Amino acid sequence: MRGRTALITGITGQDGSHLAELLLAKGYRVCGLVRPAGAGAAPRLRALRERVELLPAELTDAAALTDALRQVRPDEVYNLAALTFVPACWQEPDRTIEFTTVAVTRLLEALRTVSPKARFFQAGSSEMFGTPVESPQRETTPFRPRSPYGIAKVCAHHVACGYREAYGLYACSGILFNHEGPRRGLEFVTRKITQAAARIKLGLDRELRLGNLQAKRDWGYAGDYVRAMWLMLQQDGPDDCVIGTGAAHSVEEFVRIAFDHVGLDWHDHVVVDPKFYRPAEAVQLVADPAKAKRRLGWEPQVGFERLVTCMVDADLAELTRAVPAAHCA
């Protein structure tokens, strides 16, 4: 029996690179869709570049998606591509919805036509809950998105559910709470904090400007979350699961741990700047991962403090031109 083949959209991102590593370790043939203009720029895949197959295709191009699926013939498809930086979605709401919702519809339609037996994972987001009616949030918690990104993710979630019910596809949605690591983009607040702590420690900067320090998130490690994605496609039947740690931490806690780790008092360097507040701030987002534990046997392995300190260590290493730490585990 041949080894399984996986197709990953968003393979050049944080989650995509972690997932590619996981699948390669399990003996998969790993293929990834990349935008034609960026096919050669994949720094997170540098160590894997000779072991993965990259196919140029725009997610909004139905014909290109169909051609890619015919070429790859995947057993599993992981849709991780999205415009994931929530504040930026307010500047391009139409592009956010097209790329996050319309593209998912085209991908599922191509899958139904070309590879109807393939298993499909849709990356959802805690932003789908917006301002939640209950805490913690579970699979039955009503969606109340308050950003174009959250709205687009809710639509994509329902599209995946619709294809599952209408056509019998093995399509499932993982409602992923915030997950971070050394590969996180610099535009995200977590990496902004750890990079700043490292830069200030090395004398390269003096202050860090942030928004609401009391905002809380359920933060986990990206490497743990891609393991949950894989497990969701190994079950007897498709289902949706909330993936998170079940513990909320404030931005201030994240800052304190990061600065303590390098021997600095964060009060001396952090400035609250109202321009970094979101137009519609989601509050009290914390997961109830009981179903994932029960159905998948999944639990996070990297704790919050370890997550923060390993990100700081990776930024220190990168800034001092050493080999950056790639994993928290």
Side-chain angles (χ1 to χ4, degrees), residues 129-143:
F129 294 118
T131 302
V133 298
E134 62 182 0
S135 188
Q137 292 85 53
R138 51 188 61 86
E139 292 77 13
T140 56
T141 301
F143 297 136

PDB file of all heavy atoms in Angstrom, residues 129-143:
ATOM      1  N   PHE A 129     -16.258  33.190  17.521  1.00  0.00           N
ATOM      2  CA  PHE A 129     -17.136  33.408  18.673  1.00  0.00           C
ATOM      3  C   PHE A 129     -17.316  34.897  18.975  1.00  0.00           C
ATOM      4  O   PHE A 129     -18.302  35.274  19.608  1.00  0.00           O
ATOM      5  CB  PHE A 129     -16.570  32.696  19.902  1.00  0.00           C
ATOM      6  CG  PHE A 129     -16.556  31.201  19.788  1.00  0.00           C
ATOM      7  CD1 PHE A 129     -15.361  30.499  19.835  1.00  0.00           C
ATOM      8  CD2 PHE A 129     -17.735  30.498  19.614  1.00  0.00           C
ATOM      9  CE1 PHE A 129     -15.348  29.114  19.727  1.00  0.00           C
ATOM     10  CE2 PHE A 129     -17.732  29.113  19.498  1.00  0.00           C
ATOM     11  CZ  PHE A 129     -16.532  28.417  19.561  1.00  0.00           C
ATOM     12  N   GLY A 130     -16.355  35.734  18.548  1.00  0.00           N
ATOM     13  CA  GLY A 130     -16.464  37.171  18.757  1.00  0.00           C
ATOM     14  C   GLY A 130     -16.611  37.531  20.212  1.00  0.00           C
ATOM     15  O   GLY A 130     -15.728  37.294  21.031  1.00  0.00           O
ATOM     16  N   THR A 131     -17.745  38.126  20.556  1.00  0.00           N
ATOM     17  CA  THR A 131     -18.093  38.370  21.959  1.00  0.00           C
ATOM     18  C   THR A 131     -19.005  37.229  22.388  1.00  0.00           C
ATOM     19  O   THR A 131     -20.191  37.205  22.085  1.00  0.00           O
ATOM     20  CB  THR A 131     -18.822  39.709  22.126  1.00  0.00           C
ATOM     21  OG1 THR A 131     -17.987  40.760  21.623  1.00  0.00           O
ATOM     22  CG2 THR A 131     -19.099  39.986  23.593  1.00  0.00           C
ATOM     23  N   PRO A 132     -18.474  36.249  23.083  1.00  0.00           N
ATOM     24  CA  PRO A 132     -19.229  35.007  23.318  1.00  0.00           C
ATOM     25  C   PRO A 132     -20.344  35.164  24.334  1.00  0.00           C
ATOM     26  O   PRO A 132     -20.291  36.027  25.217  1.00  0.00           O
ATOM     27  CB  PRO A 132     -18.152  34.047  23.824  1.00  0.00           C
ATOM     28  CG  PRO A 132     -17.119  34.934  24.443  1.00  0.00           C
ATOM     29  CD  PRO A 132     -17.110  36.193  23.635  1.00  0.00           C
ATOM     30  N   VAL A 133     -21.335  34.315  24.208  1.00  0.00           N
ATOM     31  CA  VAL A 133     -22.460  34.322  25.147  1.00  0.00           C
ATOM     32  C   VAL A 133     -22.159  33.464  26.361  1.00  0.00           C
ATOM     33  O   VAL A 133     -22.919  33.487  27.339  1.00  0.00           O
ATOM     34  CB  VAL A 133     -23.757  33.826  24.470  1.00  0.00           C
ATOM     35  CG1 VAL A 133     -24.139  34.748  23.317  1.00  0.00           C
ATOM     36  CG2 VAL A 133     -23.605  32.383  23.975  1.00  0.00           C
ATOM     37  N   GLU A 134     -21.084  32.676  26.307  1.00  0.00           N
ATOM     38  CA  GLU A 134     -20.705  31.841  27.434  1.00  0.00           C
ATOM     39  C   GLU A 134     -19.195  31.651  27.413  1.00  0.00           C
ATOM     40  O   GLU A 134     -18.535  31.825  26.382  1.00  0.00           O
ATOM     41  CB  GLU A 134     -21.396  30.479  27.358  1.00  0.00           C
ATOM     42  CG  GLU A 134     -21.029  29.673  26.119  1.00  0.00           C
ATOM     43  CD  GLU A 134     -21.762  28.350  26.048  1.00  0.00           C
ATOM     44  OE1 GLU A 134     -22.556  28.062  26.957  1.00  0.00           O
ATOM     45  OE2 GLU A 134     -21.539  27.591  25.075  1.00  0.00           O
ATOM     46  N   SER A 135     -18.672  31.320  28.571  1.00  0.00           N
ATOM     47  CA  SER A 135     -17.245  31.061  28.682  1.00  0.00           C
ATOM     48  C   SER A 135     -17.042  29.895  29.645  1.00  0.00           C
ATOM     49  O   SER A 135     -17.636  29.887  30.738  1.00  0.00           O
ATOM     50  CB  SER A 135     -16.517  32.309  29.182  1.00  0.00           C
ATOM     51  OG  SER A 135     -15.118  32.131  29.133  1.00  0.00           O
ATOM     52  N   PRO A 136     -16.263  28.891  29.244  1.00  0.00           N
ATOM     53  CA  PRO A 136     -15.493  28.768  28.002  1.00  0.00           C
ATOM     54  C   PRO A 136     -16.379  28.447  26.803  1.00  0.00           C
ATOM     55  O   PRO A 136     -17.566  28.145  26.959  1.00  0.00           O
ATOM     56  CB  PRO A 136     -14.533  27.618  28.319  1.00  0.00           C
ATOM     57  CG  PRO A 136     -15.302  26.752  29.275  1.00  0.00           C
ATOM     58  CD  PRO A 136     -16.062  27.710  30.142  1.00  0.00           C
ATOM     59  N   GLN A 137     -15.781  28.507  25.618  1.00  0.00           N
ATOM     60  CA  GLN A 137     -16.525  28.234  24.396  1.00  0.00           C
ATOM     61  C   GLN A 137     -16.309  26.790  23.963  1.00  0.00           C
ATOM     62  O   GLN A 137     -15.213  26.258  24.011  1.00  0.00           O
ATOM     63  CB  GLN A 137     -16.076  29.175  23.266  1.00  0.00           C
ATOM     64  CG  GLN A 137     -16.460  30.621  23.504  1.00  0.00           C
ATOM     65  CD  GLN A 137     -15.430  31.357  24.365  1.00  0.00           C
ATOM     66  OE1 GLN A 137     -14.246  31.343  24.053  1.00  0.00           O
ATOM     67  NE2 GLN A 137     -15.879  32.014  25.433  1.00  0.00           N
ATOM     68  N   ARG A 138     -17.396  26.184  23.540  1.00  0.00           N
ATOM     69  CA  ARG A 138     -17.354  24.796  23.067  1.00  0.00           C
ATOM     70  C   ARG A 138     -18.005  24.728  21.690  1.00  0.00           C
ATOM     71  O   ARG A 138     -18.401  25.759  21.121  1.00  0.00           O
ATOM     72  CB  ARG A 138     -18.079  23.881  24.062  1.00  0.00           C
ATOM     73  CG  ARG A 138     -19.486  24.374  24.424  1.00  0.00           C
ATOM     74  CD  ARG A 138     -20.099  23.564  25.551  1.00  0.00           C
ATOM     75  NE  ARG A 138     -19.333  23.642  26.787  1.00  0.00           N
ATOM     76  CZ  ARG A 138     -19.476  24.605  27.703  1.00  0.00           C
ATOM     77  NH1 ARG A 138     -20.365  25.581  27.510  1.00  0.00           N
ATOM     78  NH2 ARG A 138     -18.762  24.604  28.804  1.00  0.00           N
ATOM     79  N   GLU A 139     -18.134  23.546  21.154  1.00  0.00           N
ATOM     80  CA  GLU A 139     -18.643  23.373  19.794  1.00  0.00           C
ATOM     81  C   GLU A 139     -20.075  23.870  19.639  1.00  0.00           C
ATOM     82  O   GLU A 139     -20.492  24.255  18.532  1.00  0.00           O
ATOM     83  CB  GLU A 139     -18.567  21.885  19.395  1.00  0.00           C
ATOM     84  CG  GLU A 139     -17.162  21.349  19.238  1.00  0.00           C
ATOM     85  CD  GLU A 139     -16.452  21.064  20.569  1.00  0.00           C
ATOM     86  OE1 GLU A 139     -17.138  21.046  21.638  1.00  0.00           O
ATOM     87  OE2 GLU A 139     -15.225  20.866  20.560  1.00  0.00           O
ATOM     88  N   THR A 140     -20.851  23.902  20.716  1.00  0.00           N
ATOM     89  CA  THR A 140     -22.247  24.331  20.647  1.00  0.00           C
ATOM     90  C   THR A 140     -22.443  25.817  20.956  1.00  0.00           C
ATOM     91  O   THR A 140     -23.567  26.323  20.874  1.00  0.00           O
ATOM     92  CB  THR A 140     -23.089  23.511  21.642  1.00  0.00           C
ATOM     93  OG1 THR A 140     -22.525  23.644  22.954  1.00  0.00           O
ATOM     94  CG2 THR A 140     -23.112  22.038  21.238  1.00  0.00           C
ATOM     95  N   THR A 141     -21.373  26.514  21.298  1.00  0.00           N
ATOM     96  CA  THR A 141     -21.474  27.946  21.599  1.00  0.00           C
ATOM     97  C   THR A 141     -21.834  28.714  20.331  1.00  0.00           C
ATOM     98  O   THR A 141     -21.209  28.519  19.286  1.00  0.00           O
ATOM     99  CB  THR A 141     -20.141  28.477  22.156  1.00  0.00           C
ATOM    100  OG1 THR A 141     -19.806  27.766  23.345  1.00  0.00           O
ATOM    101  CG2 THR A 141     -20.243  29.967  22.474  1.00  0.00           C
ATOM    102  N   PRO A 142     -22.845  29.579  20.377  1.00  0.00           N
ATOM    103  CA  PRO A 142     -23.224  30.339  19.173  1.00  0.00           C
ATOM    104  C   PRO A 142     -22.085  31.233  18.681  1.00  0.00           C
ATOM    105  O   PRO A 142     -21.332  31.808  19.475  1.00  0.00           O
ATOM    106  CB  PRO A 142     -24.407  31.193  19.650  1.00  0.00           C
ATOM    107  CG  PRO A 142     -24.945  30.481  20.844  1.00  0.00           C
ATOM    108  CD  PRO A 142     -23.762  29.852  21.508  1.00  0.00           C
ATOM    109  N   PHE A 143     -21.970  31.335  17.365  1.00  0.00           N
ATOM    110  CA  PHE A 143     -20.984  32.233  16.769  1.00  0.00           C
ATOM    111  C   PHE A 143     -21.529  33.665  16.768  1.00  0.00           C
ATOM    112  O   PHE A 143     -22.673  33.906  16.369  1.00  0.00           O
ATOM    113  CB  PHE A 143     -20.665  31.817  15.334  1.00  0.00           C
ATOM    114  CG  PHE A 143     -20.029  30.459  15.219  1.00  0.00           C
ATOM    115  CD1 PHE A 143     -20.448  29.571  14.235  1.00  0.00           C
ATOM    116  CD2 PHE A 143     -19.009  30.067  16.073  1.00  0.00           C
ATOM    117  CE1 PHE A 143     -19.861  28.312  14.115  1.00  0.00           C
ATOM    118  CE2 PHE A 143     -18.424  28.822  15.966  1.00  0.00           C
ATOM    119  CZ  PHE A 143     -18.842  27.941  14.985  1.00  0.00           C
TER     120      PHE A 143
END
